[in-house]
Amino acid sequence: MPKKQNSTTTRRRFLVGTAATTGLAVAGGVLPTRFAIGAMAPIKIGILLPYSGTYAALGNAITDALKLRIEQAGGKLGGRDVEYVAINSEMSVPKAPTNTEKLIKKDEVDFLVGPVHSGIAAVMAKIVGKRTAPIMIVPNAGSNAVTGPLCGKNIFRTSFSNWQPAYPGGELMAKEGHKTAVTISWKYGAGIQMMGAGKEAFEKNGGKVVQEILIPFPQVEFQAHLAEIAALKPDAVFAFYSGGGATKFLQDYAAAGLKDNIPLYGPGFLTEGVTKAAGAAAEGIKTTLHYADTLDTDANRNFRSAYQAVAGRGADVFAVQGYDTGSLLLQAAAAVGGDVSASADVIKAMEQATFPDSPRGDWHMSKAHNPIQDIYLRQVVNGEQKLLGVAAKQLEDPATGCKLV
Ligand code: BEZ
């Protein structure tokens, strides 16, 4: 039986063939160097993100900002053209293996960018982690496992772990004097892990979580659960929702008369990118996240106006993560002069990448390949995420179970 080839080998053979048949071989029949061959083809970026359903806005923001960053640098990576191959994840965990395999084996992508959803991230990491290529960059999904037990040399994240923005949120709730809380979220990786981190921090600081509500993803029937919260009368509620589901939750929470009586907290996804749609229902809510609209830096201001100009909408944390994914790709491809098949050197460059011009402020990769970054305290004021301070300085995920650490 013939030996199974990995995608890099197959692709390189194709390129060698192309070079030979197009007469690009040098005189004397010697094939061009690997670099010269690779330089002819575009670098392929496979994208697996949601473009429909409750997380559609997140997928669009990441994609638009990723392309913006690469365009700002001349539209090339390490001197080579770029080709994007995007698949709508539909936020479907059952479809994730087929979608991932297609990008790796059929499209032979050099990099795999995705996903948004923690459940899909775990599936992708299991597939990618068994290989040496492609290199996967997670531009959102916070699954703790991806930079924990499932971490891998060729798996990087430019966003956050679910623990990171949630733990300081639980601390905040306790610091603001609340003694009892109810947690509410969707029943899948992100919801479970964020609520777990918030609860841990709240209880370590003297609070008590009296009820934990989890509803199926991406369900948005909140009425019965809000009635339960009203009956329990906790001091505060801690919630994770995002995208369209967050808008609906905020509106229902306000409509149920809870907003003025039981303060709502959570990781910042609860109000991120939805303040326009949620209107008054989002005003005043304090959350913790690795970005705030009003960060007072030139990098943030320049990014926000460039993004508004190309996307026709305001920037949010999802756009920031896409933008920084572009910066990571630019640095990695430049370090190897465009020869991204040199995986070990690409990985080294990614591990050492710096982000002094990130809209979120300075951050760098941990040993587990997850951002070490500031977590901000923000409040929605006139539809904007106003910066109130830094909730946790250069916070590093514990990366429990990661063999790289
Ligand atoms: C997640 O599934 O990991 C996730 C989705 C939306 C926002 C934040 C996290």
Side-chain angles (χ1 to χ4, degrees), residues 12-345:
R12 199 168 296 146
R13 288 214 176 142
F14 164 72
L15 291 167
V16 169
T18 308
T21 54
T22 53
L24 283 166
V26 293
V30 179
L31 281 172
T33 63
R34 191 182 63 176
F35 171 75
I37 296 162
M40 292 163 44
I43 290 179
K44 269 194 173 185
I45 302 180
I47 299 178
L48 185 54
L49 290 171
Y51 298 112
S52 57
T54 202
Y55 288 163
L58 286 61
N60 285 318
I62 293 166
T63 308
D64 290 347
L66 164 68
K67 291 182 177 173
L68 165 66
R69 181 68 190 93
I70 292 172
E71 278 309 309
Q72 282 178 338
K76 288 184 187 277
L77 288 175
R80 287 171 62 186
D81 288 337
V82 181
E83 184 182 335
Y84 299 97
V85 187
I87 295 181
N88 179 1
S89 74
E90 302 170 64
M91 301 170 307
S92 165
V93 177
K95 288 184 188 171
T98 310
N99 287 335
T100 307
E101 300 278 2
K102 180 189 173 285
L103 288 168
I104 296 174
K105 294 189 179 147
K106 181 161 178 286
D107 299 312
E108 298 190 340
V109 298
D110 297 296
F111 296 96
L112 189 53
V113 174
V116 156
H117 183 288
S118 275
I120 297 177
V123 171
M124 289 173 76
K126 280 180 198 157
I127 295 171
V128 173
K130 290 199 185 94
R131 310 169 55 93
T132 51
I135 291 172
M136 173 176 169
I137 306 176
V138 181
N140 185 73
S143 164
N144 291 338
V146 164
T147 51
L150 296 178
C151 77
K153 274 206 97 42
N154 58 336
I155 300 172
F156 287 80
R157 182 151 54 194
T158 50
S159 51
F160 59 91
S161 75
N162 287 327
W163 177 87
Q164 273 180 311
Y167 193 91
E171 284 180 327
L172 170 70
M173 226 167 30
K175 271 187 208 145
E176 297 214 327
H178 303 300
K179 295 287 175 222
T180 59
V182 168
T183 63
I184 179 165
S185 190
W186 280 313
K187 189 176 185 173
Y188 83 100
I192 294 166
Q193 292 170 5
M194 289 192 214
M195 295 303 95
K199 177 183 173 181
E200 185 192 342
F202 184 55
E203 297 198 334
K204 266 193 188 151
N205 287 277
K208 175 83 196 133
V209 168
V210 294
Q211 181 66 295
E212 298 171 53
I213 302 170
L214 289 169
I215 64 173
F217 175 85
Q219 199 175 294
V220 289
E221 298 308 319
F222 298 119
Q223 304 303 340
H225 308 293
L226 295 175
E228 186 186 352
I229 290 171
L232 284 164
K233 294 191 178 59
D235 292 346
V237 167
F238 191 74
F240 162 72
Y241 290 104
S242 191
T247 304
K248 175 75 165 44
F249 180 76
L250 294 172
Q251 286 170 338
D252 286 3
Y253 197 82
L258 297 178
K259 183 167 185 283
D260 296 329
N261 299 309
I262 308 177
L264 189 53
Y265 295 87
F269 308 107
L270 187 61
T271 52
E272 192 69 10
V274 302
T275 53
K276 215 169 170 187
E283 279 296 305
I285 295 177
K286 286 183 195 165
T287 59
T288 46
L289 200 66
H290 48 289
Y291 181 62
D293 298 348
T294 62
L295 274 165
D296 186 18
T297 61
D298 285 344
N300 187 39
R301 276 185 291 273
N302 293 340
F303 160 71
R304 293 190 70 81
S305 57
Y307 182 82
Q308 177 72 49
V310 294
R313 58 184 119 79
D316 54 23
V317 77
F318 310 108
V320 171
Q321 294 164 177
Y323 194 76
D324 288 351
T325 300
S327 296
L328 181 62
L329 285 165
L330 284 162
Q331 291 179 62
V336 291
D339 184 4
V340 294
S341 65
S343 318
D345 294 333

Side-chain angles (χ1 to χ4, degrees), residues 349-380:
M350 287 188 159
E351 287 172 338
Q352 292 171 357
T354 55
F355 302 86
D357 294 328
S358 170
R360 76 180 87 168
D362 201 4
W363 66 273
H364 60 281
M365 286 289 175
S366 70
K367 287 204 171 87
H369 298 174
N370 188 65
I372 298 178
Q373 57 192 337
D374 288 348
I375 304 294
Y376 302 104
L377 169 58
R378 321 101 48 85
Q379 184 171 33
V380 180

